[in-house]
Amino acid sequence: MFPLERVQRSLERAGQTHVLRFWPELDERDRARFLQELTQLDLGGLGGHCERAAAAAAAPPASHDRGVEPLPPQLVGSSRRSDAESLGSWEEEGLLQISENRVGVLLLAGGQGTRLGVQYPKGMYDVGLPSGKTLYQIQAERIRKIQQLVDVKRGSKCTVPWYIMTSEFTLAPTEKFFQENDHFGLEPSNIVMFEQRMIPAVTFDGKVILQGKGKVAMAPDGNGGLYQALVDNKVLEDMRRRGVEYLHVYCVDNILVKMADPVFIGFCVSKGADCGAKVVEKAFPAEPVGVVCRVQGVSQVVEYSEIQPETAELRGPAGELVYSAGNICNHFFTRAFLQDVAEKFEGQLKQHVALKKVPFVDAQGNQVKPDKPNGIKLEKFVFDVFPFSRNFVAFEVAREEEFSPLKNADGAATDNPTTARNSLLTQHRRWAEAAGAELLDQHGNVLPPADDSVSAADSRPAQCEISPLVSYFGEGLEPLLRGRTLLTPLILDEKLAKDLQTQ
């Protein structure tokens, strides 16, 4: 049977014959390209996919109020509340694991910067730092620095491989960007880029959407597509070959992410965890972040929309929120757990509905850009594997030190380039002042102490930027800055650090 005939029969069985509606209008090249695209789809499961999408979109919102409870205290560590001895012990354990090449970092970078108003990968975005560094460069330099710190501390040469999950939209531009920037000083063989699957967008009545006359509208399958992508691209085999046993998994948009955080890694390893999550204390009960908690004894993330307001507002004896552990997509997994998920549980992952405005061609072949949602994209979330964990833990960190996501364009109330930039620069001012530096504005006036409050409306940047190649998380600055008065704007890079050491 010819490929076209096989595709036609598969589409008939799936109830999706409209996909070939414009076939007679396509030239030979477009037909060949479209046929190749269709043969790469899971045509056997296409009908089920469309039915599930329509049914999920029509289903009432889930509610998890019944059986919900906070995580037991013994499963939770904290950078703010745990004692110094424990924090030091966890850090040593993490540094040990890194020094033995048993730790890798895994970046979830399948999304474009559409909400930022750009069509390139979000990791290539420049939030307006004095140095002009992008998110990718900041993260790469943090990997370089943690490797350097471990090498000095342990007297051995270590490698933290960087696994980067991209999508059809982001793989090629990300590869090109890294090549143009000499991989930001990292060894190219230690950067492993791979692609997640794409799945068709579907109308509310269960029909595949045509983006063009010879093009199906496709979308990445969410960051939970990681687990299938690890198998598809033989990434787990690469980890095994390198001896990587522990993975730090995170989203590209957090400008404060602490790459391969030895305290977090060490905490999880010390607790014998196969799965862990960093959390921040929710700012207010209705903050739109998922909550890490238990439902009927099983650890999981419950979306803010799935908890009744009266439950979200519950407070403990000291006035603290009972359900305060906000999920920030910053996770720890053992390689063995990822292998288990890939082999046993991937098919059980929940599919979440995202209603989107999907450009399409109508029955007459006219291109349409809808002004309201017209399509369903099914997504899996990376945290939906938590219930399969045998030993789950959580680690609370200070929001102002470790979480400032970049999701929206300037003009939005939160999570925009201004808030991300100010979060980082304010953090760096705190580090400089804690190291004993006095900072002056451009007129020579002493700047007041750094303020943690960062507002989208406040565009006055605290102009003190410290390169990750100089300090990973505030360490090592006192010998450089103690007793110094420095004029801002200040970019403390490796060159300036070397000059200060010789003065």
Side-chain angles (χ1 to χ4, degrees):
M1 189 184 298
F2 291 109
L4 178 58
E5 293 177 21
R6 287 201 298 268
V7 168
Q8 286 174 321
R9 292 197 178 185
S10 296
L11 291 174
E12 286 173 10
R13 286 193 292 269
Q16 304 292 327
T17 55
H18 69 284
V19 169
L20 293 175
R21 174 186 292 154
F22 300 105
W23 183 264
E25 300 180 30
L26 302 178
D27 61 28
E28 288 303 316
R29 189 174 68 171
D30 287 341
R31 284 184 177 185
R33 187 184 297 121
F34 193 26
L35 189 59
Q36 181 181 19
E37 176 187 299
L38 292 174
T39 55
Q40 290 174 346
L41 292 178
D42 177 16
L43 291 174
L46 184 61
H49 166 74
C50 294
E51 290 171 7
R52 286 192 300 273
S63 175
H64 287 289
D65 262 20
R66 185 172 298 176
V68 67
E69 58 185 357
L71 291 174
Q74 65 269 24
L75 300 184
V76 182
S78 174
S79 65
R80 302 191 303 163
R81 297 184 175 91
S82 296
D83 61 86
E85 183 179 351
S86 295
L87 291 169
S89 173
W90 295 333
E91 182 176 35
E92 284 300 311
E93 178 64 35
L95 292 171
L96 173 64
Q97 298 300 332
I98 294 170
S99 73
E100 295 182 347
N101 300 317
R102 292 161 64 87
V103 176
V105 291
L106 199 159
L107 165 60
L108 305 173
Q112 294 170 292
T114 309
R115 285 164 63 183
L116 293 169
V118 298
Q119 295 303 311
Y120 51 79
K122 197 181 286 187
M124 292 166 54
Y125 195 85
D126 169 11
V127 300
L129 293 172
S131 67
K133 289 179 181 178
T134 62
L135 296 177
Y136 279 148
Q137 181 171 355
I138 293 167
Q139 293 166 19
E141 291 181 352
R142 286 179 184 149
I143 293 175
R144 287 175 59 188
K145 186 61 176 179
I146 192 64
Q147 289 178 159
Q148 181 189 89
L149 288 172
V150 172
D151 290 348
V152 170
K153 193 173 183 66
R154 293 282 170 178
S156 61
K157 182 73 173 173
C158 74
T159 297
V160 177
W162 195 8
Y163 298 94
I164 303 177
M165 185 177 78
T166 63
S167 69
E168 177 183 296
F169 301 134
T170 62
L171 177 58
T174 297
E175 287 179 332
K176 182 181 178 185
F177 190 67
F178 272 67
Q179 290 163 2
E180 290 174 345
N181 289 278
D182 297 322
H183 298 87
F184 304 105
L186 290 168
E187 173 58 46
S189 63
N190 295 325
I191 302 174
V192 180
M193 295 186 193
F194 60 101
E195 197 172 335
Q196 69 184 112
R197 287 187 177 183
M198 304 286 285
I199 55 176
V202 179
T203 63
F204 297 136
D205 57 353
K207 298 296 183 182
V208 169
I209 296 176
L210 282 177
Q211 178 180 319
K213 291 182 178 181
K215 176 71 175 172
V216 171
M218 305 287 286
D221 55 355
N223 57 30
L226 166 68
Y227 308 106
Q228 185 62 54
L230 291 175
V231 175
D232 291 345
N233 299 280
K234 297 181 170 50
V235 177
L236 290 168
E237 293 178 20
D238 182 90
M239 294 173 181
R240 178 185 54 77
R241 188 166 58 251
R242 293 173 186 266
V244 172
E245 298 294 338
Y246 308 113
L247 278 301
H248 175 211
V249 178
Y250 69 100
C251 277
V252 69
D253 59 10
N254 181 11
I255 198 170
L256 299 182
V257 65
K258 199 175 175 186
M259 313 284 292
D261 176 10
V263 180
F264 181 45
I265 299 289
F267 168 73
C268 294
V269 172
S270 298
K271 295 293 184 181
D274 55 4
C275 177
K278 275 191 179 183
V279 298
V280 297
E281 186 175 359
K282 287 183 67 174
F284 52 92
E287 184 181 11
V289 296
V291 174
V292 180
C293 58
R294 280 187 166 184
V295 178
Q296 297 180 343
V298 178
S299 300
Q300 58 191 270
V301 173
V302 175
E303 288 298 310
Y304 63 94
S305 59
E306 298 173 341
I307 297 182
Q308 295 298 317
E310 54 269 27
T311 303
E313 291 167 6
L314 288 174
R315 294 188 179 271
E320 76 284 4
L321 288 173
V322 172
Y323 297 100
S324 64
N327 177 47
I328 59 173
C329 196
N330 196 318
H331 308 313
F332 166 93
F333 299 118
T334 64
R335 179 173 58 82
F337 178 70
L338 291 175
Q339 192 79 47
D340 270 355
V341 169
E343 293 175 357
K344 303 174 186 176
F345 305 123
E346 199 281 332
Q348 300 176 39
L349 292 182
K350 178 181 176 182
Q351 290 192 312
H352 302 261
V353 172
L355 303 182
K356 300 286 188 177
K357 291 182 281 191
V358 183
F360 67 99
V361 288
D362 63 18
Q364 287 72 45
N366 300 311
Q367 196 74 41
V368 180
K369 284 192 173 182
D371 55 8
K372 61 182 180 180
N374 65 311
I376 305 161
K377 293 183 179 179
L378 290 182
E379 301 175 325
K380 295 176 181 178
F381 292 161
V382 67
F383 56 71
D384 281 332
V385 299
F386 291 0
F388 306 123
S389 168
R390 296 183 182 89
N391 188 9
F392 177 84
V393 296
F395 191 74
E396 183 202 21
V397 295
R399 181 187 297 251
E400 65 272 15
E401 295 293 350
E402 297 202 38
F403 185 55
S404 183
L406 175 64
K407 297 186 180 297
N408 308 306
D410 271 326
T414 59
D415 302 341
N416 59 50
T418 297
T419 58
R421 178 178 67 249
N422 283 359
S423 292
L424 186 73
L425 296 176
T426 302
Q427 179 189 62
H428 290 183
R429 275 190 63 192
R430 287 196 301 271
W431 294 354
E433 290 165 358
E438 182 178 68
L439 300 179
L440 306 179
D441 66 19
Q442 57 186 342
H443 304 295
N445 302 313
V446 176
L447 288 169
D451 184 359
D452 289 342
S453 62
V454 179
S455 164
D458 180 11
S459 60
R460 297 167 296 169
Q463 293 282 359
C464 174
E465 182 182 355
I466 299 173
S467 168
L469 299 174
V470 173
S471 183
Y472 171 74
F473 204 65
E475 81 295 328
L477 294 175
E478 191 164 335
L480 300 174
L481 301 181
R482 170 66 60 187
R484 294 188 184 275
T485 299
L486 300 169
L487 188 67
T488 60
L490 170 70
I491 302 177
L492 181 52
D493 56 16
E494 286 184 292
K495 181 179 183 305
L496 179 56
K498 188 174 181 179
D499 291 344
L500 291 174
Q501 283 178 325
T502 60
Q503 291 178 10

